[in-house]
Amino acid sequence: MREILYKDALVEAMQEEMKRDDRVLVMGEDVAIYGGAYGATKGLYEQFGEERVRDTAISESAIVGAAIGAAITGMRPIAEIMYIDFITQAMDQLVNQAAKMRYMFGGKTTVPMVLRTEGGAGRCIAAHHSQSLEAWIMHVPGLYLVMPSTPYDAKGLLKASIRDDNPVVFIEHKMLYAMKGEVPETDYIIPLGVADIKKKGSDVTIVAYSRQLHVAMEAAAELEKDNISAEVIDPRTLKPLDLDAILTSVKKTSKLVIVSEGYKTCNVASEIAMLVMEHGFDLLDAPVKRVCAVDVPVPMSPVLEDAAIPNKQNVINAVKEVCQ
Amino acid sequence: MKESKEELIGYLRKMMDIRLFEEKVMELLARNIIKGASHLYAGEEAVAVGACSAIEEDDYITSTHRGHGHCLAKGGKLPEMMAELCGKATGYCKGRGGSMHIADVTKGNLGATGIVASNLPVAVGAALSAKMRKTNQVVLCFFGDGASNNGIFHESLNMAAVWKLPVVFVCENNLYGMSVAANRCSAVQDMADKAKAYDMPNMICDGMDILDVKETIKKAVERARKGDGPTLVECKTYRYFGHSRSDPRAYRTKEEEKEWRNKCPIKQFSKKLTDNKILTEEEIAQIEKQAEEAVESAEKFAIESPYPDVRELMDDIYAPSPADLLNGGAIR
């Protein structure tokens, strides 16, 4: 199969959906002429024109709010917020409007929009451009949360998100845009709420998503050398979360490590650990371990930045502790 | 007056409906039949009814925490509204929205919001959608003087102006943002002036005079429909009750309140109708009686309606995903 970049997989997903459905539009800062800060909208402006691919002012609230207004009146907007750090400026629109409208209005409306943004550390761009705030999103009823780790997943999940009738927050990782992987040229979707087993194993379950999936995979490869067979599960969508897939794996392995690049306190991993305790305590042979970012604003210096987020060794150590 | 007699009667009746509805709400709040917060629209009737009479049925509005008047003026029905305020299953939002989130999306009322200025970008998006779908619809975006001091007001006006969207920003300047007088928290005294920063035309009208409101908004709506972009219209008005029920109104004087009561939009309009020999006082009394009965019957409907079934607590958080996302087309 041909291999393309993660960012090109995203472009392809939007391209196909915009061709398929003329209600789909893209708007955000620098998404048109520039092609997106990370190149994830490149070529769309040339292909679809300024009516459907819109450069906006640096107005995060207005971008998200306008996407909501367009969505509830018959369009299917994709709004890009350049960095997830900037959604803080649009939280009212996202949390109070997009997430709640359907429920608050008695189920009489739908908000079919996608908020594409990116997150994560790795480029030494410090505390305002490196965060992993997915736990904030996961906390709010009414939003879906998608975090693809591979080009293949990026295309299939974005297409599913665009077709979904719910507001979807779609978080890409800045260190994955240039990653290459196999992506079919065909029109395929990956349903939201379906996890993927990225590596089969029998001794321990590692749940990891977005860029940390790759960290977990490296750790799993290394652990093989020590005769520890790790099963690596990528939930791909954190909401809806495929808890069944996680429980099925834990049933087999009896041990669980969760890896996340978000701050440790109230992390996505905390929630997954608790869910497994609630639904599968008897399956566990060891306490659940989480490997998360340190509770510190992401520092600029490469040495400090690396120390702030999980690495392969952290995952290996955690696995070895639960496998003792 | 160029309106037909039926139209004029319709306006009067709608304003009376709103006034009596709000007075009834005040009473039901005091009796603790309506729980929670309610921000009453009494005094501002001419704005909602005047503005909504300047648009078509399939046009949109977005509303505020003081949204009962807008909902009624956009074609909302008294029983469903009262039931919603009482948190009953028969309400517009199945009792989940209450006073602050009253919405009837299918009728173009895109909803009230409990967060000041939060509806402005939503109006911008609805206008963008109307423009892209080429439906010729316009959006009326109601908000208060207080909202014009919020950042999102500026983002929204700017974006609407840049994109020349068919939206009319209707500022209901009732002089107070909760307790803080507009002249104490806004650097300009006419909120309409704020449009200048966005090269947007502005207009000011007497928010206590329904025909003035209607004529002014109409001009803005025509502009929007022609594709000439947004307008900011400021309606000078006043709320008769406090910000919400817990408000003792210590920040304003009895004299001021009386002065504005004398400008009552319903009294003024009634007088105009009798002066012009369109209606007699008896006929007006008759219309008021009908409104009273309608509000009574809405109250009865609301009180007798059941509360939502608690088993529905988790319904409608998410829309069902289209079938093709659940099966078929999926590669795992």
Side-chain angles (χ1 to χ4, degrees), chain B residues 14-20 22 41-51 69 73 207-208 210 237-238 240 264-266:
Chain B
K14 239 173 201 161
M15 288 203 289
M16 284 177 172
D17 277 353
I18 297 173
R19 176 68 57 86
L20 295 172
E22 296 296 61
Y41 196 70
E44 304 186 17
E45 295 88 349
V47 180
V49 178
M208 307 306 267
I210 178 173
T237 184
Y238 200 74
Y240 287 173
C264 170
I266 297 173

Short mmCIF file of all heavy atoms in Angstrom, two decimals, chain B residues 14-20 22 41-51 69 73 207-208 210 237-238 240 264-266:
data_model
loop_
_atom_site.label_atom_id
_atom_site.label_comp_id
_atom_site.label_asym_id
_atom_site.label_seq_id
_atom_site.Cartn_x
_atom_site.Cartn_y
_atom_site.Cartn_z
N LYS B 14 -49.26 40.56 21.14
CA LYS B 14 -47.99 39.90 21.45
C LYS B 14 -47.28 40.61 22.61
O LYS B 14 -46.73 39.97 23.50
CB LYS B 14 -47.09 39.87 20.23
CG LYS B 14 -46.77 38.44 19.90
CD LYS B 14 -46.03 38.18 18.66
CE LYS B 14 -46.33 36.71 18.31
NZ LYS B 14 -46.07 36.39 16.94
N MET B 15 -47.32 41.93 22.59
CA MET B 15 -46.68 42.66 23.69
C MET B 15 -47.41 42.39 25.00
O MET B 15 -46.78 42.24 26.05
CB MET B 15 -46.65 44.17 23.38
CG MET B 15 -45.64 44.53 22.29
SD MET B 15 -45.10 46.25 22.36
CE MET B 15 -46.58 47.09 21.81
N MET B 16 -48.73 42.32 24.91
CA MET B 16 -49.50 42.02 26.12
C MET B 16 -49.22 40.61 26.62
O MET B 16 -49.11 40.37 27.82
CB MET B 16 -50.99 42.20 25.85
CG MET B 16 -51.42 43.65 25.79
SD MET B 16 -53.16 43.75 25.39
CE MET B 16 -53.45 45.51 25.64
N ASP B 17 -49.13 39.68 25.67
CA ASP B 17 -48.79 38.30 26.04
C ASP B 17 -47.48 38.27 26.83
O ASP B 17 -47.37 37.62 27.86
CB ASP B 17 -48.63 37.43 24.79
CG ASP B 17 -49.97 36.91 24.26
OD1 ASP B 17 -50.99 37.12 24.94
OD2 ASP B 17 -49.97 36.32 23.17
N ILE B 18 -46.49 38.98 26.30
CA ILE B 18 -45.18 38.97 26.96
C ILE B 18 -45.29 39.58 28.35
O ILE B 18 -44.85 39.01 29.35
CB ILE B 18 -44.12 39.74 26.13
CG1 ILE B 18 -43.90 39.05 24.78
CG2 ILE B 18 -42.80 39.84 26.90
CD1 ILE B 18 -43.00 39.81 23.82
N ARG B 19 -45.94 40.77 28.43
CA ARG B 19 -46.05 41.45 29.72
C ARG B 19 -46.76 40.57 30.75
O ARG B 19 -46.28 40.37 31.87
CB ARG B 19 -46.83 42.76 29.54
CG ARG B 19 -47.10 43.53 30.83
CD ARG B 19 -45.84 44.09 31.47
NE ARG B 19 -45.08 44.96 30.59
CZ ARG B 19 -45.31 46.27 30.43
NH1 ARG B 19 -46.26 46.88 31.11
NH2 ARG B 19 -44.55 46.98 29.60
N LEU B 20 -47.89 40.00 30.34
CA LEU B 20 -48.67 39.22 31.31
C LEU B 20 -47.97 37.91 31.65
O LEU B 20 -48.05 37.42 32.77
CB LEU B 20 -50.08 38.98 30.76
CG LEU B 20 -50.89 40.27 30.60
CD1 LEU B 20 -52.21 40.00 29.88
CD2 LEU B 20 -51.17 40.94 31.95
N GLU B 22 -44.75 37.55 31.80
CA GLU B 22 -43.69 37.88 32.74
C GLU B 22 -44.24 38.17 34.13
O GLU B 22 -43.64 37.79 35.14
CB GLU B 22 -42.86 39.08 32.24
CG GLU B 22 -42.12 38.82 30.93
CD GLU B 22 -41.05 37.74 31.01
OE1 GLU B 22 -41.40 36.58 31.31
OE2 GLU B 22 -39.88 38.04 30.75
N TYR B 41 -38.56 40.09 31.02
CA TYR B 41 -38.42 40.96 29.85
C TYR B 41 -39.39 42.14 29.91
O TYR B 41 -39.34 43.03 29.04
CB TYR B 41 -38.67 40.10 28.61
CG TYR B 41 -38.20 40.70 27.31
CD1 TYR B 41 -36.85 40.82 27.03
CD2 TYR B 41 -39.12 41.15 26.35
CE1 TYR B 41 -36.41 41.35 25.82
CE2 TYR B 41 -38.69 41.68 25.14
CZ TYR B 41 -37.34 41.78 24.88
OH TYR B 41 -36.91 42.30 23.68
N ALA B 42 -40.26 42.18 30.91
CA ALA B 42 -41.29 43.23 30.98
C ALA B 42 -40.64 44.61 30.84
O ALA B 42 -39.62 44.90 31.48
CB ALA B 42 -42.04 43.14 32.30
N GLY B 43 -41.21 45.44 29.99
CA GLY B 43 -40.66 46.75 29.73
C GLY B 43 -39.98 46.82 28.37
O GLY B 43 -39.90 47.87 27.74
N GLU B 44 -39.48 45.67 27.92
CA GLU B 44 -38.71 45.64 26.66
C GLU B 44 -39.51 45.05 25.51
O GLU B 44 -38.95 44.76 24.44
CB GLU B 44 -37.42 44.84 26.88
CG GLU B 44 -36.57 45.37 28.04
CD GLU B 44 -35.22 44.68 28.18
OE1 GLU B 44 -34.77 44.01 27.24
OE2 GLU B 44 -34.62 44.80 29.27
N GLU B 45 -40.81 44.89 25.71
CA GLU B 45 -41.64 44.17 24.72
C GLU B 45 -41.55 44.72 23.32
O GLU B 45 -41.60 43.98 22.32
CB GLU B 45 -43.12 44.18 25.15
CG GLU B 45 -43.43 43.43 26.44
CD GLU B 45 -43.29 44.30 27.69
OE1 GLU B 45 -42.76 45.43 27.58
OE2 GLU B 45 -43.70 43.85 28.76
N ALA B 46 -41.45 46.06 23.23
CA ALA B 46 -41.46 46.68 21.90
C ALA B 46 -40.26 46.23 21.07
O ALA B 46 -40.34 46.17 19.84
CB ALA B 46 -41.46 48.20 22.03
N VAL B 47 -39.16 45.88 21.74
CA VAL B 47 -37.96 45.48 21.00
C VAL B 47 -38.18 44.12 20.34
O VAL B 47 -38.04 43.97 19.12
CB VAL B 47 -36.72 45.44 21.91
CG1 VAL B 47 -35.50 45.03 21.11
CG2 VAL B 47 -36.49 46.80 22.57
N ALA B 48 -38.54 43.12 21.15
CA ALA B 48 -38.70 41.77 20.60
C ALA B 48 -39.79 41.75 19.53
O ALA B 48 -39.59 41.21 18.43
CB ALA B 48 -39.03 40.79 21.71
N VAL B 49 -40.94 42.34 19.85
CA VAL B 49 -42.06 42.26 18.91
C VAL B 49 -41.79 43.11 17.67
O VAL B 49 -42.05 42.69 16.54
CB VAL B 49 -43.38 42.66 19.60
CG1 VAL B 49 -44.55 42.62 18.61
CG2 VAL B 49 -43.66 41.75 20.78
N GLY B 50 -41.23 44.29 17.89
CA GLY B 50 -40.89 45.16 16.76
C GLY B 50 -39.86 44.50 15.84
O GLY B 50 -40.02 44.47 14.62
N ALA B 51 -38.82 43.95 16.45
CA ALA B 51 -37.75 43.35 15.65
C ALA B 51 -38.24 42.11 14.91
O ALA B 51 -37.98 41.95 13.71
CB ALA B 51 -36.57 43.00 16.56
N GLY B 69 -39.28 37.00 25.94
CA GLY B 69 -39.91 37.90 24.98
C GLY B 69 -39.54 37.55 23.54
O GLY B 69 -40.38 37.55 22.65
N ALA B 73 -42.08 36.36 20.67
CA ALA B 73 -42.16 37.19 19.48
C ALA B 73 -41.80 36.40 18.22
O ALA B 73 -42.29 36.69 17.14
CB ALA B 73 -41.24 38.40 19.60
N GLY B 207 -36.49 52.10 21.90
CA GLY B 207 -36.89 50.74 22.23
C GLY B 207 -38.21 50.63 22.97
O GLY B 207 -38.65 49.52 23.28
N MET B 208 -38.84 51.75 23.24
CA MET B 208 -40.15 51.72 23.89
C MET B 208 -41.26 51.95 22.84
O MET B 208 -42.43 51.97 23.17
CB MET B 208 -40.25 52.79 24.98
CG MET B 208 -39.14 52.74 26.01
SD MET B 208 -38.93 51.12 26.81
CE MET B 208 -39.98 51.32 28.27
N ILE B 210 -42.69 50.44 19.48
CA ILE B 210 -42.62 49.25 18.62
C ILE B 210 -42.47 49.59 17.14
O ILE B 210 -41.73 48.92 16.42
CB ILE B 210 -43.84 48.33 18.86
CG1 ILE B 210 -43.76 47.14 17.91
CG2 ILE B 210 -45.16 49.05 18.75
CD1 ILE B 210 -44.77 46.09 18.13
N THR B 237 -33.98 51.00 25.90
CA THR B 237 -35.13 50.41 26.58
C THR B 237 -34.87 50.30 28.08
O THR B 237 -33.90 50.89 28.59
CB THR B 237 -35.48 49.05 25.92
OG1 THR B 237 -36.64 48.51 26.51
CG2 THR B 237 -34.33 48.05 26.05
N TYR B 238 -35.71 49.57 28.77
CA TYR B 238 -35.61 49.51 30.24
C TYR B 238 -36.30 48.24 30.71
O TYR B 238 -37.36 47.88 30.21
CB TYR B 238 -36.31 50.73 30.84
CG TYR B 238 -35.90 51.05 32.26
CD1 TYR B 238 -34.66 51.62 32.54
CD2 TYR B 238 -36.78 50.80 33.32
CE1 TYR B 238 -34.29 51.93 33.84
CE2 TYR B 238 -36.42 51.12 34.63
CZ TYR B 238 -35.17 51.68 34.88
OH TYR B 238 -34.81 51.99 36.16
N TYR B 240 -38.38 46.47 33.64
CA TYR B 240 -39.18 46.93 34.79
C TYR B 240 -38.82 46.20 36.07
O TYR B 240 -38.80 46.78 37.14
CB TYR B 240 -40.67 46.80 34.47
CG TYR B 240 -41.15 47.85 33.47
CD1 TYR B 240 -42.43 47.83 32.95
CD2 TYR B 240 -40.30 48.90 33.08
CE1 TYR B 240 -42.85 48.79 32.05
CE2 TYR B 240 -40.71 49.86 32.18
CZ TYR B 240 -41.99 49.81 31.67
OH TYR B 240 -42.41 50.76 30.79
N CYS B 264 -44.12 53.23 29.04
CA CYS B 264 -44.52 51.83 28.78
C CYS B 264 -44.88 51.61 27.31
O CYS B 264 -45.75 52.29 26.75
CB CYS B 264 -45.71 51.47 29.66
SG CYS B 264 -46.44 49.89 29.21
N PRO B 265 -44.22 50.65 26.68
CA PRO B 265 -44.45 50.43 25.24
C PRO B 265 -45.88 50.01 24.92
O PRO B 265 -46.38 50.31 23.84
CB PRO B 265 -43.46 49.31 24.90
CG PRO B 265 -43.10 48.67 26.19
CD PRO B 265 -43.21 49.73 27.23
N ILE B 266 -46.50 49.34 25.86
CA ILE B 266 -47.88 48.88 25.60
C ILE B 266 -48.85 50.06 25.72
O ILE B 266 -49.73 50.26 24.86
CB ILE B 266 -48.25 47.74 26.57
CG1 ILE B 266 -47.31 46.54 26.30
CG2 ILE B 266 -49.70 47.33 26.42
CD1 ILE B 266 -47.43 45.41 27.29
#
